[in-house]
Amino acid sequence: MALHTACRLALIAFATVALRGVLDGSEFQAVLIQAIRIGAAFFGIGLMIGELTRRLLEDMVISKIRKIIDENAPRDNNNQLSAES
């Protein structure tokens, strides 16, 4: 997930900077170097965001699964009595 997020974010940043350079009429080489630098920076940011998102989603799913298991787990009288005490 992190790699997909990073690639998409880098491509969007690269295309945005390149398009802005074309519309401004800037020099091709300068625009290309700037677009590559910004694309690389946003690739790193995308890796961090993607990894954070993956960890948050995994944590959320695990907590939901534990809640469902706890609700549906069979209980005997001893567990119920100790839980009520």
Side-chain angles (χ1 to χ4, degrees), residues 14-52:
F14 180 86
T16 302
V17 172
L19 184 61
R20 186 185 72 187
V22 168
L23 293 176
D24 289 344
S26 300
E27 183 181 330
F28 175 74
Q29 185 178 2
V31 170
L32 187 61
I33 290 172
Q34 184 180 14
I36 290 172
R37 286 181 181 162
I38 291 179
F42 274 87
F43 184 82
I45 293 169
L47 279 175
M48 289 185 289
I49 290 172
E51 183 64 22
L52 179 64

Side-chain angles (χ1 to χ4, degrees), residues 63-76:
S63 66
K64 293 277 186 181
I65 289 173
R66 284 185 182 155
K67 182 180 176 184
I68 291 171
I69 289 173
D70 288 343
E71 289 174 354
N72 295 325
R75 300 180 186 214
D76 58 1

Side-chain angles (χ1 to χ4, degrees), residues 56-66:
L56 289 171
L57 286 174
E58 283 179 357
D59 186 46
M60 187 175 69
V61 168
I62 288 171
S63 66
K64 293 277 186 181
I65 289 173
R66 284 185 182 155

